[in-house]
Amino acid sequence: MDIYHGWCDLKPGVSDTQFADAFARYMGHLKREGKVESFRLTRRKLGLGPSHLADFHFMIEVRDMAQLDEAFSFVATRAGEIEGEHRGVNALVQNVTFALYRDFPDAVRKRGEEKF
């Protein structure tokens, strides 16, 4: 699995539950369409965490880069219901940072043949 991570803060005046509901609608739509496998939204607890990371952290799991590309292409149409849900999340957040990680070792990894 590949895991697309994101960290964000809320814009002034946005409630935490407003954001959580909008995020769940958006990700739920992507999941129903088969564009993502699962998702999770977490929030920093007790102020613990590196200062350069935002208050909210989300993780979106996809089977592989092809599925992630399908998700990006689906959202990039900027049309229909998904556009409203995408905007519904983007309009609420600021200071967004992204990262892409994978399960390790990779399922295709062969051991003993490495050259470095």
Side-chain angles (χ1 to χ4, degrees):
M1 296 292 263
D2 290 327
I3 306 157
Y4 188 65
H5 292 262
W7 293 265
C8 63
D9 290 316
L10 302 182
K11 289 182 179 177
V14 174
S15 79
D16 51 3
T17 55
Q18 178 186 8
F19 169 62
D21 292 345
F23 183 80
R25 278 191 302 275
Y26 178 40
M27 290 295 112
H29 188 141
L30 290 175
K31 185 172 181 178
R32 285 189 303 279
E33 293 289 329
K35 307 302 182 192
V36 302
E37 296 301 304
S38 64
F39 59 90
R40 186 169 179 179
L41 177 65
T42 62
R43 187 176 191 180
R44 185 178 301 198
K45 188 169 185 172
L46 301 174
L48 297 173
S51 61
H52 64 278
L53 294 179
D55 192 28
F56 287 88
H57 174 222
F58 56 86
M59 295 154 277
I60 303 167
E61 290 191 336
V62 293
R63 286 184 310 273
D64 51 28
M65 293 299 292
Q67 187 181 32
L68 183 61
D69 189 54
E70 285 179 31
F72 280 131
S73 294
F74 182 66
V75 174
T77 64
R78 306 288 307 260
E81 187 179 346
I82 197 65
E83 173 62 6
E85 291 168 350
H86 183 229
R87 184 192 181 286
V89 171
N90 279 352
L92 305 177
V93 299
Q94 61 186 7
N95 306 323
V96 184
T97 304
F98 299 100
L100 183 61
Y101 283 74
R102 68 186 192 276
D103 286 334
F104 191 82
D106 297 288
V108 297
R109 177 78 180 261
K110 293 182 181 179
R111 295 181 186 213
E113 298 180 30
E114 300 93 339
K115 301 292 183 206
F116 60 94

